[in-house]
Amino acid sequence: MASQNIYILAIESSCDDTAAAVLHNGKILSNIVATQEVHQQYGGVVPELASRAHQQNIVPVIHQAISRANIVKKDITAIAFTRGPGLMGSLLVGTSFAKSLALGMGIPLLEVNHMQAHILAHFIEEQNFKKPKFPFLALTISGGHTQIVKVKDYFDMEVIGETTDDAVGEAFDKSAKILGLPYPGGPLIDKYAQQGNPTAFKFPKPKMPGLDFSFSGFKTAVLYFIQKQTKNNPNFIEENLKDICASIQYTIINILMDKLKKAVKETGITQIAIAGGVSANNGIRNALFEAEKKYDWKCFIPKFEYTTDNAAMIAIAGHYKYLSKDFADFSITAQARYKF
Ligand code: KG4
Ligand code: ZN
């Protein structure tokens, strides 16, 4: 396919990152992400502010993606965009912009499911990164989702387990908030956990049937634990931060790994790919390396910049849709809840 010279411009605006990327025949030429700092002071994403920030950022971010890629606008073969799932106001900005640009340029439009794109990030051409072979299991762990997906082909995916309440990223972020850490707290828990004792404190693991997850009880357990401890010792958090973070992370990773082992047992598939923002976490990465040795799994961890929200993953999904001529109609609308 390399002789076809396919340039995909991709736009991602599902949550609080405005992102654009240019992909040439499966290789990333540019990958620009404007993270919205405005939400930090609120301890979480404020949808109304997110859509406004997308409107401010989208033109400069796309300009930068095109100029960093060292191409000109007319080189672009097709425009890919995130249709959902995500925040409606945020999705509308990217969707409307992508539609207008593709229509104005007279080129095809490619609609992408954000969750499928997280998984397809594994197919971006990168040196020293191997691609999984179908079928494989994907553990998609982000601030909005927690899923185990059976991936049979690029767009033939089946969700075999998912969270019934909070996502794993929320479990990290809400626990961090209880500890007084700024948003998003996931990376900070990860950082402190590296110097703490993972078995210093014990948190309960939810009893969920099948391959589904639940994290809302975990967050409450952390809250009650901290309330109880700080009542006795107001300096409890400061004095034990590293051990608390390590224990929280240890429990969350155990919850994920238990279900993953169950999924492997049920499907007989031993190729595991992780995707989504939480796959940047050192605890899950180490647990997977151990599982590779212990259970003979083959694990795939994407390059760091393709784990959190980005447009490179939207571009690779768009690339495969372009190859199968799966173009979107110009009447297409954003979908806040977009199942596949
Ligand atoms: O995929 P993503 O960028 O956005 C969503 O689609 O949700 O994921 C963001 C989530 C946040 O909850 C953030 O705290 C979490 O990923 N995260 C981490 C780490 N890096 C990002 N959680 C734990 N450890 C990390 N190193
Ligand atoms: Zn995401």
Side-chain angles (χ1 to χ4, degrees), residues 122-298:
H122 285 276
F123 293 91
I124 295 170
E125 298 285 347
E126 281 290 340
Q127 261 181 358
N128 307 324
F129 281 81
K130 284 208 183 88
K131 297 173 189 160
K133 290 193 176 68
F134 302 115
F136 62 91
L137 293 179
L139 176 68
T140 313
I141 38 180
S142 75
H145 297 269
T146 304
Q147 294 180 330
I148 300 179
V149 182
K150 190 170 164 186
V151 187
K152 294 169 241 174
D153 206 341
Y154 295 109
F155 301 102
D156 185 2
M157 303 186 187
E158 184 192 344
V159 178
I160 57 173
E162 64 187 326
T163 184
T164 52
D165 42 57
D166 287 354
V168 64
E170 282 178 285
F172 271 107
D173 295 340
K174 288 177 179 174
S175 301
K177 198 173 174 181
I178 295 167
L179 300 176
L181 300 173
Y183 175 84
L188 290 170
I189 293 202
D190 188 6
K191 187 180 130 193
Y192 293 123
Q194 285 175 47
Q195 298 159 42
N197 172 7
T199 54
F201 306 108
K202 207 168 157 46
F203 296 106
K205 287 198 281 178
K207 289 190 176 53
M208 287 296 288
L211 297 173
D212 284 341
F213 299 93
S214 164
F215 286 103
S216 65
F218 173 79
K219 166 196 69 191
T220 313
V222 172
L223 179 66
Y224 288 165
F225 170 76
I226 294 296
Q227 279 175 346
K228 194 172 154 202
Q229 298 294 332
T230 46
K231 218 171 174 183
N232 301 332
N233 172 11
N235 297 326
F236 178 77
I237 296 178
E238 295 84 81
E239 286 169 11
N240 298 281
L241 187 61
K242 289 170 184 168
D243 286 348
I244 304 169
C245 288
S247 304
I248 287 173
Q249 180 160 306
Y250 179 75
T251 313
I252 295 177
I253 302 308
N254 270 339
I255 296 170
L256 294 174
M257 290 304 290
D258 283 354
K259 293 290 175 168
L260 208 46
K261 281 179 215 160
K262 199 167 180 191
V264 168
K265 212 170 175 183
E266 283 180 17
T267 60
I269 299 171
T270 52
Q271 278 192 99
I272 318 287
I274 53 167
V278 183
S279 57
N281 182 270
N282 284 289
I284 189 76
R285 287 176 176 232
N286 292 336
L288 287 172
F289 289 140
E290 271 173 36
E292 278 202 319
K293 282 186 233 137
K294 198 166 167 191
Y295 309 113
D296 209 18
W297 292 2
K298 202 159 167 31

Side-chain angles (χ1 to χ4, degrees), residues 1-2 5-8 22-29 120-126 131 306 312 315-317 319-320 323:
M1 280 299 160
N5 252 342
I6 305 165
Y7 288 92
I8 306 286
V22 175
L23 182 93
H24 176 226
N25 293 339
K27 276 204 179 108
I28 287 297
L29 299 183
L120 294 175
H122 285 276
F123 293 91
I124 295 170
E125 298 285 347
E126 281 290 340
K131 297 173 189 160
Y306 306 143
I316 192 73
H319 176 82
Y320 286 108
L323 291 182

